[in-house]
PDB file of all heavy atoms in Angstrom:
ATOM      1  N   SER A 360     129.256  96.246  46.761  1.00  0.00           N
ATOM      2  CA  SER A 360     130.009  95.158  47.388  1.00  0.00           C
ATOM      3  C   SER A 360     131.488  95.513  47.591  1.00  0.00           C
ATOM      4  O   SER A 360     132.395  94.725  47.311  1.00  0.00           O
ATOM      5  CB  SER A 360     129.890  93.874  46.552  1.00  0.00           C
ATOM      6  OG  SER A 360     128.535  93.518  46.422  1.00  0.00           O
ATOM      7  N   GLY A 361     131.714  96.738  48.032  1.00  0.00           N
ATOM      8  CA  GLY A 361     133.065  97.130  48.396  1.00  0.00           C
ATOM      9  C   GLY A 361     133.966  97.545  47.262  1.00  0.00           C
ATOM     10  O   GLY A 361     135.182  97.632  47.446  1.00  0.00           O
ATOM     11  N   ALA A 362     133.383  97.815  46.088  1.00  0.00           N
ATOM     12  CA  ALA A 362     134.202  98.242  44.954  1.00  0.00           C
ATOM     13  C   ALA A 362     133.357  99.111  44.028  1.00  0.00           C
ATOM     14  O   ALA A 362     132.149  99.239  44.207  1.00  0.00           O
ATOM     15  CB  ALA A 362     134.735  97.023  44.192  1.00  0.00           C
ATOM     16  N   ARG A 363     133.996  99.727  43.029  1.00  0.00           N
ATOM     17  CA  ARG A 363     133.256 100.538  42.072  1.00  0.00           C
ATOM     18  C   ARG A 363     132.254  99.671  41.333  1.00  0.00           C
ATOM     19  O   ARG A 363     132.543  98.531  40.962  1.00  0.00           O
ATOM     20  CB  ARG A 363     134.216 101.188  41.068  1.00  0.00           C
ATOM     21  CG  ARG A 363     133.529 102.170  40.131  1.00  0.00           C
ATOM     22  CD  ARG A 363     134.519 102.895  39.254  1.00  0.00           C
ATOM     23  NE  ARG A 363     135.136 102.006  38.265  1.00  0.00           N
ATOM     24  CZ  ARG A 363     136.057 102.411  37.386  1.00  0.00           C
ATOM     25  NH1 ARG A 363     136.480 103.677  37.431  1.00  0.00           N
ATOM     26  NH2 ARG A 363     136.569 101.558  36.525  1.00  0.00           N
ATOM     27  N   ASP A 364     131.061 100.230  41.132  1.00  0.00           N
ATOM     28  CA  ASP A 364     130.015  99.471  40.441  1.00  0.00           C
ATOM     29  C   ASP A 364     130.467  99.163  39.009  1.00  0.00           C
ATOM     30  O   ASP A 364     130.996 100.040  38.314  1.00  0.00           O
ATOM     31  CB  ASP A 364     128.717 100.287  40.409  1.00  0.00           C
ATOM     32  CG  ASP A 364     127.539  99.456  39.968  1.00  0.00           C
ATOM     33  OD1 ASP A 364     127.405  99.209  38.754  1.00  0.00           O
ATOM     34  OD2 ASP A 364     126.737  99.053  40.828  1.00  0.00           O
ATOM     35  N   PRO A 365     130.267  97.918  38.548  1.00  0.00           N
ATOM     36  CA  PRO A 365     130.713  97.534  37.196  1.00  0.00           C
ATOM     37  C   PRO A 365     130.098  98.385  36.091  1.00  0.00           C
ATOM     38  O   PRO A 365     130.706  98.564  35.024  1.00  0.00           O
ATOM     39  CB  PRO A 365     130.253  96.068  37.084  1.00  0.00           C
ATOM     40  CG  PRO A 365     130.180  95.591  38.500  1.00  0.00           C
ATOM     41  CD  PRO A 365     129.722  96.773  39.292  1.00  0.00           C
ATOM     42  N   SER A 366     128.888  98.912  36.343  1.00  0.00           N
ATOM     43  CA  SER A 366     128.211  99.700  35.307  1.00  0.00           C
ATOM     44  C   SER A 366     128.430 101.200  35.473  1.00  0.00           C
ATOM     45  O   SER A 366     127.733 102.006  34.849  1.00  0.00           O
ATOM     46  CB  SER A 366     126.709  99.394  35.341  1.00  0.00           C
ATOM     47  OG  SER A 366     126.152  99.761  36.594  1.00  0.00           O
ATOM     48  N   TYR A 367     129.401 101.590  36.290  1.00  0.00           N
ATOM     49  CA  TYR A 367     129.638 103.008  36.569  1.00  0.00           C
ATOM     50  C   TYR A 367     129.905 103.794  35.289  1.00  0.00           C
ATOM     51  O   TYR A 367     130.701 103.390  34.440  1.00  0.00           O
ATOM     52  CB  TYR A 367     130.835 103.153  37.513  1.00  0.00           C
ATOM     53  CG  TYR A 367     131.191 104.590  37.818  1.00  0.00           C
ATOM     54  CD1 TYR A 367     130.442 105.324  38.733  1.00  0.00           C
ATOM     55  CD2 TYR A 367     132.261 105.208  37.170  1.00  0.00           C
ATOM     56  CE1 TYR A 367     130.759 106.651  39.005  1.00  0.00           C
ATOM     57  CE2 TYR A 367     132.591 106.524  37.434  1.00  0.00           C
ATOM     58  CZ  TYR A 367     131.833 107.251  38.349  1.00  0.00           C
ATOM     59  OH  TYR A 367     132.139 108.558  38.618  1.00  0.00           O
ATOM     60  N   ASP A 368     129.207 104.942  35.166  1.00  0.00           N
ATOM     61  CA  ASP A 368     129.345 105.823  34.005  1.00  0.00           C
ATOM     62  C   ASP A 368     129.629 107.231  34.523  1.00  0.00           C
ATOM     63  O   ASP A 368     128.740 107.889  35.060  1.00  0.00           O
ATOM     64  CB  ASP A 368     128.058 105.797  33.177  1.00  0.00           C
ATOM     65  CG  ASP A 368     128.157 106.637  31.911  1.00  0.00           C
ATOM     66  OD1 ASP A 368     128.898 107.630  31.899  1.00  0.00           O
ATOM     67  OD2 ASP A 368     127.447 106.306  30.935  1.00  0.00           O
ATOM     68  N   GLU A 369     130.855 107.705  34.374  1.00  0.00           N
ATOM     69  CA  GLU A 369     131.265 109.002  34.897  1.00  0.00           C
ATOM     70  C   GLU A 369     130.401 110.148  34.365  1.00  0.00           C
ATOM     71  O   GLU A 369     129.999 111.042  35.113  1.00  0.00           O
ATOM     72  CB  GLU A 369     132.732 109.262  34.539  1.00  0.00           C
ATOM     73  CG  GLU A 369     133.281 110.589  35.042  1.00  0.00           C
ATOM     74  CD  GLU A 369     133.512 110.623  36.542  1.00  0.00           C
ATOM     75  OE1 GLU A 369     133.786 109.553  37.119  1.00  0.00           O
ATOM     76  OE2 GLU A 369     133.417 111.715  37.134  1.00  0.00           O
ATOM     77  N   ALA A 370     130.078 110.130  33.087  1.00  0.00           N
ATOM     78  CA  ALA A 370     129.286 111.204  32.480  1.00  0.00           C
ATOM     79  C   ALA A 370     127.886 111.255  33.078  1.00  0.00           C
ATOM     80  O   ALA A 370     127.352 112.337  33.371  1.00  0.00           O
ATOM     81  CB  ALA A 370     129.212 111.009  30.966  1.00  0.00           C
ATOM     82  N   GLN A 371     127.297 110.084  33.288  1.00  0.00           N
ATOM     83  CA  GLN A 371     125.942 110.016  33.852  1.00  0.00           C
ATOM     84  C   GLN A 371     125.915 110.555  35.280  1.00  0.00           C
ATOM     85  O   GLN A 371     125.045 111.352  35.640  1.00  0.00           O
ATOM     86  CB  GLN A 371     125.446 108.566  33.836  1.00  0.00           C
ATOM     87  CG  GLN A 371     124.049 108.395  34.405  1.00  0.00           C
ATOM     88  CD  GLN A 371     123.673 106.929  34.612  1.00  0.00           C
ATOM     89  OE1 GLN A 371     124.564 106.096  34.825  1.00  0.00           O
ATOM     90  NE2 GLN A 371     122.395 106.624  34.538  1.00  0.00           N
ATOM     91  N   VAL A 372     126.879 110.162  36.069  1.00  0.00           N
ATOM     92  CA  VAL A 372     126.925 110.594  37.465  1.00  0.00           C
ATOM     93  C   VAL A 372     127.250 112.081  37.554  1.00  0.00           C
ATOM     94  O   VAL A 372     126.672 112.813  38.368  1.00  0.00           O
ATOM     95  CB  VAL A 372     127.961 109.775  38.258  1.00  0.00           C
ATOM     96  CG1 VAL A 372     128.025 110.254  39.693  1.00  0.00           C
ATOM     97  CG2 VAL A 372     127.604 108.301  38.217  1.00  0.00           C
ATOM     98  N   SER A 373     128.157 112.547  36.718  1.00  0.00           N
ATOM     99  CA  SER A 373     128.527 113.968  36.733  1.00  0.00           C
ATOM    100  C   SER A 373     127.326 114.843  36.418  1.00  0.00           C
ATOM    101  O   SER A 373     127.142 115.910  37.021  1.00  0.00           O
ATOM    102  CB  SER A 373     129.646 114.240  35.723  1.00  0.00           C
ATOM    103  OG  SER A 373     130.834 113.579  36.112  1.00  0.00           O
ATOM    104  N   GLU A 374     126.503 114.408  35.504  1.00  0.00           N
ATOM    105  CA  GLU A 374     125.296 115.163  35.158  1.00  0.00           C
ATOM    106  C   GLU A 374     124.321 115.179  36.331  1.00  0.00           C
ATOM    107  O   GLU A 374     123.712 116.214  36.631  1.00  0.00           O
ATOM    108  CB  GLU A 374     124.624 114.540  33.923  1.00  0.00           C
ATOM    109  CG  GLU A 374     123.415 115.296  33.409  1.00  0.00           C
ATOM    110  CD  GLU A 374     123.739 116.698  32.921  1.00  0.00           C
ATOM    111  OE1 GLU A 374     124.886 116.915  32.448  1.00  0.00           O
ATOM    112  OE2 GLU A 374     122.852 117.578  33.008  1.00  0.00           O
ATOM    113  N   ALA A 375     124.182 114.049  37.014  1.00  0.00           N
ATOM    114  CA  ALA A 375     123.274 113.959  38.158  1.00  0.00           C
ATOM    115  C   ALA A 375     123.719 114.870  39.297  1.00  0.00           C
ATOM    116  O   ALA A 375     122.886 115.421  40.031  1.00  0.00           O
ATOM    117  CB  ALA A 375     123.198 112.509  38.646  1.00  0.00           C
ATOM    118  N   MET A 376     125.028 115.057  39.441  1.00  0.00           N
ATOM    119  CA  MET A 376     125.550 115.868  40.543  1.00  0.00           C
ATOM    120  C   MET A 376     125.327 117.364  40.340  1.00  0.00           C
ATOM    121  O   MET A 376     125.561 118.161  41.245  1.00  0.00           O
ATOM    122  CB  MET A 376     127.044 115.594  40.737  1.00  0.00           C
ATOM    123  CG  MET A 376     127.364 114.179  41.210  1.00  0.00           C
ATOM    124  SD  MET A 376     126.588 113.768  42.795  1.00  0.00           S
ATOM    125  CE  MET A 376     127.505 114.827  43.903  1.00  0.00           C
ATOM    126  N   LYS A 377     124.850 117.772  39.174  1.00  0.00           N
ATOM    127  CA  LYS A 377     124.558 119.179  38.917  1.00  0.00           C
ATOM    128  C   LYS A 377     123.222 119.607  39.528  1.00  0.00           C
ATOM    129  O   LYS A 377     122.932 120.799  39.603  1.00  0.00           O
ATOM    130  CB  LYS A 377     124.544 119.442  37.411  1.00  0.00           C
ATOM    131  CG  LYS A 377     125.902 119.260  36.738  1.00  0.00           C
ATOM    132  CD  LYS A 377     125.804 119.501  35.241  1.00  0.00           C
ATOM    133  CE  LYS A 377     127.162 119.286  34.566  1.00  0.00           C
ATOM    134  NZ  LYS A 377     127.082 119.495  33.090  1.00  0.00           N
ATOM    135  N   ALA A 378     122.425 118.641  39.958  1.00  0.00           N
ATOM    136  CA  ALA A 378     121.108 118.945  40.514  1.00  0.00           C
ATOM    137  C   ALA A 378     121.244 119.717  41.828  1.00  0.00           C
ATOM    138  O   ALA A 378     122.224 119.536  42.562  1.00  0.00           O
ATOM    139  CB  ALA A 378     120.329 117.654  40.739  1.00  0.00           C
ATOM    140  N   PRO A 379     120.256 120.566  42.148  1.00  0.00           N
ATOM    141  CA  PRO A 379     120.319 121.323  43.409  1.00  0.00           C
ATOM    142  C   PRO A 379     120.059 120.477  44.647  1.00  0.00           C
ATOM    143  O   PRO A 379     120.377 120.888  45.754  1.00  0.00           O
ATOM    144  CB  PRO A 379     119.237 122.390  43.227  1.00  0.00           C
ATOM    145  CG  PRO A 379     118.277 121.782  42.261  1.00  0.00           C
ATOM    146  CD  PRO A 379     119.107 120.960  41.330  1.00  0.00           C
ATOM    147  N   GLU A 380     119.483 119.300  44.453  1.00  0.00           N
ATOM    148  CA  GLU A 380     119.225 118.392  45.567  1.00  0.00           C
ATOM    149  C   GLU A 380     119.927 117.069  45.303  1.00  0.00           C
ATOM    150  O   GLU A 380     119.741 116.446  44.252  1.00  0.00           O
ATOM    151  CB  GLU A 380     117.718 118.175  45.768  1.00  0.00           C
ATOM    152  CG  GLU A 380     116.982 119.474  46.117  1.00  0.00           C
ATOM    153  CD  GLU A 380     115.506 119.275  46.404  1.00  0.00           C
ATOM    154  OE1 GLU A 380     115.078 118.097  46.525  1.00  0.00           O
ATOM    155  OE2 GLU A 380     114.777 120.279  46.508  1.00  0.00           O
ATOM    156  N   ILE A 381     120.738 116.654  46.253  1.00  0.00           N
ATOM    157  CA  ILE A 381     121.545 115.438  46.107  1.00  0.00           C
ATOM    158  C   ILE A 381     121.136 114.418  47.168  1.00  0.00           C
ATOM    159  O   ILE A 381     121.095 114.731  48.360  1.00  0.00           O
ATOM    160  CB  ILE A 381     123.050 115.749  46.265  1.00  0.00           C
ATOM    161  CG1 ILE A 381     123.493 116.826  45.266  1.00  0.00           C
ATOM    162  CG2 ILE A 381     123.875 114.475  46.114  1.00  0.00           C
ATOM    163  CD1 ILE A 381     123.377 116.423  43.814  1.00  0.00           C
ATOM    164  N   ALA A 382     120.840 113.213  46.733  1.00  0.00           N
ATOM    165  CA  ALA A 382     120.496 112.119  47.652  1.00  0.00           C
ATOM    166  C   ALA A 382     121.627 111.097  47.656  1.00  0.00           C
ATOM    167  O   ALA A 382     121.973 110.542  46.604  1.00  0.00           O
ATOM    168  CB  ALA A 382     119.195 111.456  47.221  1.00  0.00           C
ATOM    169  N   ILE A 383     122.217 110.888  48.812  1.00  0.00           N
ATOM    170  CA  ILE A 383     123.255 109.867  48.968  1.00  0.00           C
ATOM    171  C   ILE A 383     122.648 108.699  49.738  1.00  0.00           C
ATOM    172  O   ILE A 383     122.112 108.891  50.829  1.00  0.00           O
ATOM    173  CB  ILE A 383     124.472 110.408  49.732  1.00  0.00           C
ATOM    174  CG1 ILE A 383     125.098 111.584  48.984  1.00  0.00           C
ATOM    175  CG2 ILE A 383     125.506 109.298  49.952  1.00  0.00           C
ATOM    176  CD1 ILE A 383     126.246 112.237  49.721  1.00  0.00           C
ATOM    177  N   LYS A 384     122.734 107.510  49.169  1.00  0.00           N
ATOM    178  CA  LYS A 384     122.192 106.324  49.825  1.00  0.00           C
ATOM    179  C   LYS A 384     123.313 105.326  50.075  1.00  0.00           C
ATOM    180  O   LYS A 384     124.051 104.962  49.159  1.00  0.00           O
ATOM    181  CB  LYS A 384     121.105 105.676  48.979  1.00  0.00           C
ATOM    182  CG  LYS A 384     120.387 104.519  49.666  1.00  0.00           C
ATOM    183  CD  LYS A 384     119.235 104.020  48.800  1.00  0.00           C
ATOM    184  CE  LYS A 384     118.459 102.908  49.483  1.00  0.00           C
ATOM    185  NZ  LYS A 384     117.328 102.429  48.643  1.00  0.00           N
ATOM    186  N   VAL A 385     123.434 104.926  51.324  1.00  0.00           N
ATOM    187  CA  VAL A 385     124.472 103.972  51.721  1.00  0.00           C
ATOM    188  C   VAL A 385     123.804 102.715  52.253  1.00  0.00           C
ATOM    189  O   VAL A 385     122.976 102.778  53.166  1.00  0.00           O
ATOM    190  CB  VAL A 385     125.385 104.573  52.816  1.00  0.00           C
ATOM    191  CG1 VAL A 385     126.362 103.532  53.330  1.00  0.00           C
ATOM    192  CG2 VAL A 385     126.118 105.792  52.275  1.00  0.00           C
ATOM    193  N   SER A 386     124.139 101.582  51.673  1.00  0.00           N
ATOM    194  CA  SER A 386     123.601 100.299  52.111  1.00  0.00           C
ATOM    195  C   SER A 386     124.729  99.486  52.738  1.00  0.00           C
ATOM    196  O   SER A 386     125.752  99.215  52.095  1.00  0.00           O
ATOM    197  CB  SER A 386     122.998  99.529  50.921  1.00  0.00           C
ATOM    198  OG  SER A 386     121.964 100.278  50.318  1.00  0.00           O
ATOM    199  N   LEU A 387     124.533  99.130  54.018  1.00  0.00           N
ATOM    200  CA  LEU A 387     125.584  98.431  54.762  1.00  0.00           C
ATOM    201  C   LEU A 387     125.471  96.914  54.697  1.00  0.00           C
ATOM    202  O   LEU A 387     126.457  96.206  54.869  1.00  0.00           O
ATOM    203  CB  LEU A 387     125.550  98.874  56.229  1.00  0.00           C
ATOM    204  CG  LEU A 387     125.797 100.365  56.483  1.00  0.00           C
ATOM    205  CD1 LEU A 387     125.594 100.674  57.956  1.00  0.00           C
ATOM    206  CD2 LEU A 387     127.184 100.766  56.038  1.00  0.00           C
ATOM    207  N   GLY A 388     124.249  96.405  54.504  1.00  0.00           N
ATOM    208  CA  GLY A 388     124.058  94.964  54.389  1.00  0.00           C
ATOM    209  C   GLY A 388     124.263  94.181  55.665  1.00  0.00           C
ATOM    210  O   GLY A 388     124.620  93.001  55.620  1.00  0.00           O
ATOM    211  N   LEU A 389     124.027  94.818  56.807  1.00  0.00           N
ATOM    212  CA  LEU A 389     124.259  94.146  58.091  1.00  0.00           C
ATOM    213  C   LEU A 389     123.000  93.863  58.898  1.00  0.00           C
ATOM    214  O   LEU A 389     123.008  92.999  59.770  1.00  0.00           O
ATOM    215  CB  LEU A 389     125.216  94.994  58.958  1.00  0.00           C
ATOM    216  CG  LEU A 389     126.601  95.291  58.384  1.00  0.00           C
ATOM    217  CD1 LEU A 389     127.376  96.169  59.361  1.00  0.00           C
ATOM    218  CD2 LEU A 389     127.361  94.004  58.099  1.00  0.00           C
TER     219      LEU A 389
END
Side-chain angles (χ1 to χ4, degrees):
S360 302
R363 186 174 69 181
D364 192 282
S366 62
Y367 178 78
D368 183 330
E369 180 73 29
Q371 180 190 28
V372 179
S373 294
E374 184 63 30
M376 294 301 291
K377 294 178 181 179
E380 298 184 10
I381 304 296
I383 299 176
K384 186 175 183 180
V385 174
S386 301
L387 299 174
L389 301 178

